[in-house]
Amino acid sequence: MTLSSLKEKPLKLGLAGLGTVGTGVYETLQRNHDILEARAKIPFEVKKVAVRDLDKVREVDVPVECLTNDWHELVEDPEIDIVIELIGGTTAAYDLVVAALNARKPVVTGNKALLAECGFEIFQLSAQLGVPIYFEASAGGGIPIIASLANSLICNHIKSIVGIINGTSNYILSEMEEHGTTFEKALEQAQQLGYAEADPTLDVNGWDAGHKALILAMLAYGTTISPAKIFVSGIERLSPCDFQFAEDLGYTIKLLVVIRSHENGDLELRVQPSLVPREHIIASVSGVFNAIAVTGDIVGETLFYGRGAGKNPTSSAVISDVITAMRDTLFPQHHTGFKLYSSDCRVMDIDDTVTPYYVRVKVADRHGVIAGIAAIFARHSIGISAVSSSFSHKDDEGNVWNDLVFMLHGCPWGQLQNSLAGVILLPNVDPAPSVLRIEPLLSQVR
Amino acid sequence: MTLSSLKEKPLKLGLAGLGTVGTGVYETLQRNHDILEARAKIPFEVKKVAVRDLDKVREVDVPVECLTNDWHELVEDPEIDIVIELIGGTTAAYDLVVAALNARKPVVTGNKALLAECGFEIFQLSAQLGVPIYFEASAGGGIPIIASLANSLICNHIKSIVGIINGTSNYILSEMEEHGTTFEKALEQAQQLGYAEADPTLDVNGWDAGHKALILAMLAYGTTISPAKIFVSGIERLSPCDFQFAEDLGYTIKLLVVIRSHENGDLELRVQPSLVPREHIIASVSGVFNAIAVTGDIVGETLFYGRGAGKNPTSSAVISDVITAMRDTLFPQHHTGFKLYSSDCRVMDIDDTVTPYYVRVKVADRHGVIAGIAAIFARHSIGISAVSSSFSHKDDEGNVWNDLVFMLHGCPWGQLQNSLAGVILLPNVDPAPSVLRIEPLLSQVR
């Protein structure tokens, strides 16, 4: 098939889902159609759009004859070359993606939950059939992190991927830091501004970032990884005083995704609130922005920054995949989509991962408390690099409390947990300490 | 040609140049060969390497039968599928690139001077013949800025590209800022550390950044642009006191590339030392790192950060192009390389570009001097937002001088130059003022 013959027959797209991102994709495909065809030199049109409710009033003007409320039509229409899945969720979206691949139609999706939870089946199916699935929009919104990992950094062994990939939680952390807001108050604000979903659970408990981390790790190491392998903790238990302590110590607090490959092949894979040195470039990423630092054995350190979510940035990512899919459709036997190439990935048990730590413990204002806690850390062979305490404050019942912060030398997470199990049994110690990783970051500093 | 038939016949590469980057490319193609073939699923080998001096002792072990001192052999060998040009310069490199394209061999190059100065001929020739030329390594070193502009942001009208794309000058500026070093001293240091070439002219006079800016602009707007259209000024005239003033005013000084598309289609295209607000993420890019902020109409703000030069980062970029070229070679009639799509690009005259300014004037310590200068700005309808002055200092002849800084409201560059022509004719005023742009930057702030 030559380019001139293509000019006569546009490629046909089927779009499933006309929510926020679906609407953005449809709008942009219309609005910037000229520049897309000029740059890609491939004519195309959206042939069908599947929606749940045909009668809903919409922001975009989709011709009535294009609309259907049955996604099967996209898969079954022999004219449709590429299916764009923007339904979300893991039920209908799963059925649609599997059906489209089986119908030999390349799929473009931004569905992180689907790929994180069903990556094993979906990537295997794609490999078996030789039909690609593209997913730039599944992590980092408009930031081209997927294409960069897959293509631009192709000659690199990926040593680490560290970053902020959930805008909602980053907005909350920024608010807590800048204005001393409580977690609850900052979350409420994020919801009012439309940055947080009605149900923000996955954003604040770290699992949205966890899904994205799984996808990045699968791509970076060419294999599938079960969601059971990732350790995830969220930001719900942070208090304004953690930000005060962090600032005094020269840090800020970020919900960090950490994917780090060790010399022996072991892989760290975790999402946890962490201290980041204030002079590090990642510390300066605030509000709903995302930033992902990738270190490769050849390229060294790189960092990608941008809007990690939202209608337009995500549409930009979806459409870059659509164009790639269109190019690949012309030569399907040699598509450029993600191909598994490794069957093995030894994800470390979280208990074995080592960093220094920040541990804040609320204690009653009595003598001997610091000594008691320090003795337990010593018994577990954990070194203390610094101790700070806050001014005393009274609770509603008139008891006087202090916040104590212990900065601990590097030790395995499991060893720390064992020591904390002892600490919280001490008298005069609140049983819910706040534990933050101190992430060893590279030289991306001022 | 199917994938299985490919497996039997590796693609053959011809590499011209075994300097720093050529050596890095050769080494990485050998060292990470396994992962490249696993990810790309295309077998390949380096068939020939052209060097100037066959007898030179080299860091890498290239089999003797692969070496030649005649680049024509790469072009004339019918087995060689792709030519990698890493000779540098615009003479032999020009001949090689043109000959390779004419021989219908796709070219990978990192040669910014060549593309900036001869882009018109080379891109036209590539378009005429339908033979692609790839140039990720020509701007931003290991940062995938070319692929991101060409593919990931394909649906975007590019509103602006602003950034730091010369590591040597950024290192010098960082040293001057952090340690109060003079320009000459910082340059010497950069040379000692191997960050600056023996002849650092193009780094410090802004033209290395200018070449890269031209390439980014050609790519972003799909057209060729003559080097005569870009306005370039360097960092040679900055003094440590400019950094002191900048800091007091809340800024740092960066050599900024600015490519900005106006609503009416006009394009700003310039490289100038500029004030950047300290809280902006670009202000935190120090040393030899590069950072490029791209704003698109759909994706919004993005930023790419990494090592902008050096053997390995640049090799990473070259090799990503080699893989793309290999994929495209299989289906040459539909290559994914850069294609011109626009014949027109209205680059603005520098005199018409508007920003606020920082102007430092050295004046003799006499009364009436500020009044005289302010009167000239007033006569040219240029508003003053602030005036600062330094402590007096004596020159070798015992004359007392002050440095005066005028912060000026936005006005066209030409208007500013006209006013300065008057200022330097005043008595008691040094005739070489220091002029910095104050760049309007977006919300990429803490």
Side-chain angles (χ1 to χ4, degrees), chain A residues 67-349:
Chain A
L67 283 173
T68 166
N69 61 0
D70 179 6
W71 61 254
H72 292 88
E73 283 188 32
L74 309 187
V75 174
E76 286 157 15
D77 184 337
E79 274 208 338
I80 286 183
D81 299 290
I82 292 159
V83 170
I84 308 169
E85 182 277 303
L86 297 171
I87 302 177
T90 55
T91 51
Y94 176 86
D95 295 338
L96 166 58
V97 166
V98 168
L101 291 175
N102 276 317
R104 303 300 195 267
K105 295 187 198 298
V107 171
V108 173
T109 181
N111 193 327
K112 55 209 169 249
L114 179 67
L115 293 179
E117 286 173 23
C118 313
F120 182 78
E121 292 126 274
I122 289 173
F123 291 136
Q124 295 281 359
L125 183 66
S126 159
Q128 256 167 45
L129 301 171
V131 181
I133 177 161
Y134 306 88
F135 46 92
E136 181 66 83
S138 69
I143 303 171
I145 186 64
I146 303 287
S148 295
L149 280 171
N151 302 318
S152 301
L153 305 181
I154 191 168
C155 77
N156 287 267
H157 291 98
I158 301 301
K159 292 160 83 172
S160 67
I161 301 173
V162 175
I164 298 166
I165 54 178
N166 179 275
T168 308
S169 60
N170 201 53
Y171 174 83
I172 292 172
L173 297 180
S174 298
E175 284 300 302
M176 291 179 75
E177 180 182 25
E178 281 162 39
H179 306 112
T181 323
T182 62
F183 169 77
E184 291 74 16
K185 184 100 196 171
L187 171 58
E188 211 181 290
Q189 229 168 293
Q191 286 176 306
Q192 275 161 10
L193 290 166
Y195 295 153
E197 311 277 334
D199 177 4
T201 313
L202 294 183
D203 290 320
V204 300
N205 72 8
W207 269 101
D208 174 82
H211 286 152
K212 293 167 180 168
L214 276 162
I215 293 169
L216 295 179
M218 289 194 260
L219 181 63
Y221 301 103
T223 187
T224 57
I225 302 174
S226 151
K229 298 277 188 181
I230 189 169
F231 181 86
V232 172
S233 71
I235 61 168
E236 311 95 322
R237 282 165 62 189
L238 289 170
S239 128
C241 80
D242 288 317
F243 288 88
Q244 194 54 56
F245 277 113
E247 195 183 332
D248 293 346
L249 294 159
Y251 293 92
T252 182
I253 303 173
K254 294 294 182 190
L255 181 66
L256 279 195
V257 162
V258 174
I259 304 169
R260 181 173 284 129
S261 169
H262 290 249
E263 289 283 319
N264 64 1
D266 282 357
L267 193 72
E268 279 187 68
L269 184 53
R270 53 191 168 81
V271 177
Q272 291 179 282
S274 306
L275 295 192
V276 175
R278 291 191 69 79
E279 66 272 22
H280 194 282
I281 201 165
I282 282 196
S284 67
V285 175
S286 70
V288 295
F289 280 89
N290 283 195
I292 306 161
V294 180
T295 303
D297 62 341
I298 307 300
V299 77
E301 303 159 52
T302 60
L303 182 132
F304 302 83
Y305 171 93
R307 290 186 182 273
K311 174 176 157 181
N312 283 335
T314 311
S315 300
S316 178
V318 168
I319 294 173
S320 73
D321 274 348
V322 169
I323 300 294
T324 306
M326 292 199 297
R327 286 169 165 160
D328 284 351
T329 303
L330 305 173
F331 310 104
Q333 68 275 47
H334 198 64
H335 74 76
T336 60
F338 174 48
K339 298 174 192 89
L340 298 170
Y341 58 85
S342 171
S343 56
D344 191 29
C345 188
R346 284 206 315 281
V347 178
M348 290 167 77
D349 192 298

Side-chain angles (χ1 to χ4, degrees), chain A residues 1 3 28 31-32 35-36 38-39 41-42 142 144 147-148 151-157 220 278 281 284 286 289 297-299 301-307 312-313 316 319-320 323 327 330-331 333-334 336 339-341 444-446, chain B residues 1 3 28 31-32 35-36 38-39 41-42 142 144 147-148 151-157 220 278 281 284 286 289 297-299 301-307 312-313 316 319-320 323 327 330-331 333-334 336 339-341 444-446:
Chain A
M1 190 159 21
L3 197 55
T28 301
R31 175 144 57 107
N32 287 3
I35 203 160
L36 278 165
R39 288 172 175 170
K41 317 266 188 223
I42 305 177
S148 295
N151 302 318
S152 301
L153 305 181
I154 191 168
C155 77
N156 287 267
H157 291 98
R278 291 191 69 79
I281 201 165
S284 67
S286 70
F289 280 89
D297 62 341
I298 307 300
V299 77
E301 303 159 52
T302 60
L303 182 132
F304 302 83
Y305 171 93
R307 290 186 182 273
N312 283 335
S316 178
I319 294 173
S320 73
I323 300 294
R327 286 169 165 160
L330 305 173
F331 310 104
Q333 68 275 47
H334 198 64
T336 60
K339 298 174 192 89
L340 298 170
Y341 58 85
Q444 285 153 336
V445 293
R446 288 195 180 220
Chain B
M1 191 161 19
L3 197 55
T28 300
R31 175 144 56 108
N32 287 1
I35 204 161
L36 278 165
R39 287 172 175 169
K41 317 263 189 226
I42 306 178
S148 296
N151 302 318
S152 301
L153 304 182
I154 191 167
C155 75
N156 288 265
H157 290 98
R278 291 191 69 80
I281 201 165
S284 67
S286 72
F289 280 89
D297 62 340
I298 307 299
V299 77
E301 303 159 52
T302 60
L303 181 131
F304 302 84
Y305 171 92
R307 291 185 182 274
N312 283 335
S316 177
I319 294 173
S320 73
I323 300 295
R327 287 170 165 160
L330 306 172
F331 310 103
Q333 69 275 48
H334 197 66
T336 60
K339 300 175 191 87
L340 299 170
Y341 57 85
Q444 287 153 336
V445 293
R446 289 195 180 218

